[in-house]
Amino acid sequence: MDNWRDHAACRHVDPDLFFPVGTTGPALVQTERAKAVCGLCPAREPCLDWALETGQSTGIWGGTTEMERRSLRRRAHSRPHLR
C-alpha cells in the first residue's frame, strides 16, 4: 500500500470522531464509533504502525486508544530481541 492514508476508511469522516474528550460517558460511545470505522478499514495495520512509530499519544489510530497503544509499546519493549 503506497500511501495508506489514500485507502483509509476515515478519510471522509469527521476527524473529531477520532479524538474523543475523556474516557467515560459520551466519550466511550464516540470511541466505539471510531473503532467501528477502523474495523472496516483496509489501512488499519499501517495506520497503527504509523501511530506507534510516531508516538501518537491522543486519538484513535488503527482501531486503538491511547491506553491500548501504550500497552502495545510496553509489550514490544519487554520482549527479548531475537538474533
Side-chain angles (χ1 to χ4, degrees):
M1 198 174 288
D2 292 341
N3 187 351
W4 60 267
R5 290 176 187 89
D6 292 339
H7 305 281
C10 62
R11 187 176 169 148
H12 301 291
V13 176
D14 182 353
D16 288 342
L17 176 66
F18 299 91
F19 294 92
V21 177
T23 57
T24 62
L28 286 175
V29 173
Q30 185 176 345
T31 296
E32 290 308 311
R33 287 182 181 155
K35 285 182 164 192
V37 173
C38 296
L40 301 172
C41 185
R44 183 178 179 171
E45 188 173 326
C47 175
L48 176 56
D49 291 344
W50 180 84
L52 291 170
E53 289 168 11
T54 59
Q56 297 302 306
S57 61
T58 60
I60 307 298
W61 294 92
T64 63
T65 64
E66 298 97 337
M67 290 177 55
E68 291 165 338
R69 287 192 303 281
R70 275 195 296 272
S71 178
L72 289 170
R73 280 193 291 274
R74 275 194 305 271
R75 277 189 265 153
H77 284 88
S78 68
R79 284 188 203 140
H81 296 284
L82 301 176
R83 293 181 184 211

